[in-house]
Amino acid sequence: MSAIDREGAEELLYREALALDSGAWDDWLALYTEDATFWVPAWRDEENVTQDPDSELSLIYYQGRRNLEDRVWRARSGLSVASKPRPRVVHAITNVLLLTANDAQARTSSSFAVHLYDKRSERTHVFFGRYEHALRNEAGDWRIAAKKIVLLNDVIPTVLDFYSI
Amino acid sequence: MVRYELGELIDDRPADGIFRVSRAIFDDPAIFDLEMERIFEGGWVFLGIADQARAPHDFFTSWIGRVPILVSRDGEGMLGGFVNSCPHKGSRVAQTMSGNARVHVCPYHSWSFDSAGRNKAIKLKKAGCYAEAFDGQSHDLARLPAFEEYRGFLFGSVSADVPPLAEYLGEAAKLLDLVADQSEEGVELVPGGVTFTYDGNWKLQLENCSDAYHFTSAHPSYIRLLDQRQKSNSQSAVKSVWEKTDYWKEDAEGDVQGGSFSFDHGHVLNWGRFGITDALPLYESAERLAERHGEAKRDWMFNMRNLTIFPNLQIAENASSQLRVIRPISADRTEMRTWCIAPKGESGDARRLRIRQYEDFFNPSGMATPDDTVSYENCQRGFASRVEPWLQGYSRGMSASRTGGNAFSSVIGLAPARSVLADAQLGDETLFHSYYRAWAQRMVGALGA
Ligand code: FES
Ligand SMILES: [Fe+2]
């Protein structure tokens, strides 16, 4: 086993992006560890996001991949008018930095812009912000153990789902 | 110009069993302008809660219709409501959603105001060669013609022609008590606000909050997930109160599962039985609240309650607790400012449970609200039609609606104007009548009779 390098980390981030863009949500889930944290903090004020998910509000906060599985189930269920027809999205990820890395884990920061086109509402939107990924080596496979998404334009036009950020 | 007569917009004929609303009131920009003038800029509007400006010189900003508002607590601890616009050339003075400032300096020409709205300085006044008449004018921030607090809930009006707030709230004030009394210390907004927009009329949100009929048809994905989570019994799944109660299930046993109350001035409540369940964060206080307020009032605090104080405040206590402020932008666009409202002093565990349930259910990034707002947008598209202008969504409950209250309201001394007792399938729509009767009263002078 060896530490992940920046290229390897980028590869993982881009694979996550492609899975979300193409609606390959099982592939997307498979990139996460079972105990993964998925966190989109809300904003306290104009300049600061919330820091403590237990005492402050988040847009999304889940501990455990099974909660992401629930989101995927709902999006596919045919029982949610907001989820179908599925908007078209493309994740553009840049400025990837490897912050720390050893054999067992790594942390990255990156920037994202998700271009979204919702045919039904005739709405085009760009959600943008920063990602922080915590990666973990699970028996030779690098997986996402935590993802924090700082969404900079947080006035949500009607819907934001896991694939829009 | 609005070319409608009132009867073309609201068809209210109780004796004939008819209540219909025209699509035009959701769709016509001229009607929207009139609503701003007559409803939002012509009466009481909710601004925020006192706890948003807790300490001396704290302030927050808000809206009354299109008008930017500053609420500030002065050095003596008195709250004041002002138009957030400089008397000099109109610039917005306070720039942020909230903060603390002894002095507000206008960013344009540096006129300054204290936290009581009084003008403190006019830059280079002496050198300004003003005429004498200038000193005869007030240079203070314009005070709201009406500004009052009820139990920490702050309301203002840009028109002086309003009844006292207590009269405007009437009996519905007791439903704000059910929120305010959940803690001896009062309520607070959990840090972190969420704002979203939808491309639809503001009254779609007004109605949806009180719409018991839509829950099982608009939210089946959420309902099924609750079921799956309950069965899986997983520790990491987000817990929800809906799992622990079945009042909303269409096959629920028992006659009365909830109902609606309507009040004068357009305030309404729809409610359902939850019972004292540990799925509610308030559970830890159940005994104390019963001792302090009696069992009847305590039980009401645990009921599912969706309250609207017309025209822009909604407090939804079901899965968690949400305070929503409706801000109409145009006939077909609305902004919602939302917070998790919570009793002060609750335990860390209760707060965490409240927050997790809130995010999952209420957020535009959650699993329920998007199915509402997308439906609003679908309605808005349909409102363009005048082929058959009348909408039929105001008819359920017509033969169940009664004047006055019932056994459930009288136990807490609540006297609504009208009430409906509902089983799990009734899905009352007569509570919307209260909205449109208040709407008609406010609009009538501007429309033909
Ligand atoms: S507009 Fe405020 S000082 Fe000129
Ligand atoms: Fe809903």
Side-chain angles (χ1 to χ4, degrees), chain B residues 19-245:
Chain B
F19 194 105
R20 301 186 299 179
V21 171
S22 167
R23 292 160 192 258
I25 74 162
F26 297 96
D27 176 71
D28 189 317
I31 290 181
F32 179 84
D33 288 345
L34 262 188
E35 289 177 333
M36 287 300 100
E37 186 187 314
R38 294 260 163 168
I39 296 174
F40 281 82
E41 293 160 20
W44 286 111
V45 164
F46 175 74
L47 297 173
I49 71 169
D51 200 64
Q52 288 175 272
R54 202 171 303 161
H57 313 297
D58 276 358
F59 70 88
F60 69 88
T61 54
S62 190
W63 299 92
I64 294 181
R66 294 160 290 201
V67 182
I69 303 297
L70 169 66
V71 175
S72 170
R73 196 183 285 276
D74 68 18
E76 269 79 67
M78 281 286 292
L79 283 164
F82 308 91
V83 176
N84 186 15
S85 171
C86 182
H88 180 230
K89 286 169 80 85
S91 165
R92 198 150 57 162
V93 177
Q95 305 287 300
T96 54
M97 295 185 285
S98 63
N100 179 282
R102 280 168 191 277
V103 177
H104 292 269
V105 181
C106 178
Y108 202 2
H109 311 89
S110 293
W111 286 24
S112 57
F113 310 88
D114 69 12
S115 56
R118 289 176 295 240
N119 182 284
K120 295 311 280 180
I122 285 170
K123 185 184 83 172
L124 305 175
K125 168 104 191 285
K126 282 210 183 77
C129 300
Y130 286 101
E132 224 170 278
F134 185 73
D135 284 337
Q137 302 164 45
S138 165
H139 311 302
D140 298 345
L141 292 179
R143 237 172 216 287
L144 291 181
F147 176 78
E148 284 191 57
E149 170 178 351
Y150 179 78
R151 309 277 330 262
F153 297 92
L154 305 174
F155 295 80
S157 168
V158 291
S159 159
D161 186 19
V162 288
L165 180 64
E167 187 185 322
Y168 180 70
L169 296 174
E171 283 288 299
K174 291 174 183 164
L175 298 169
L176 291 174
D177 293 344
L178 291 180
V179 181
D181 285 333
Q182 288 177 23
S183 159
E184 285 132 64
E185 301 161 62
V187 285
E188 62 189 352
L189 303 180
V190 173
V194 173
T195 303
F196 62 93
T197 57
Y198 63 85
D199 293 330
N201 190 270
W202 65 279
K203 296 187 292 303
L204 284 158
Q205 172 63 45
L206 197 71
E207 287 189 20
N208 185 74
C209 177
S210 339
D211 183 342
Y213 191 36
H214 84 289
F215 188 75
T216 50
S217 42
H219 303 300
S221 68
Y222 184 72
I223 291 168
R224 282 274 291 280
L225 268 175
L226 296 181
D227 224 37
Q228 292 170 21
R229 284 176 180 178
Q230 201 175 12
K231 281 179 191 133
S232 81
N233 227 336
S234 153
Q235 278 313 304
S236 60
V238 176
K239 300 266 178 302
S240 167
V241 65
W242 298 111
E243 302 167 27
K244 296 277 183 114
T245 169

Side-chain angles (χ1 to χ4, degrees), chain A residues 46 53 62 71 74 123 158, chain B residues 97 197 356 360 371 377:
Chain A
E46 282 80 355
Y62 292 126
R71 299 293 299 236
R74 173 176 176 272
R123 195 162 37 228
T158 315
Chain B
M97 295 185 285
T197 57
R356 288 294 91 79
D360 231 24
D371 293 317
E377 293 183 341

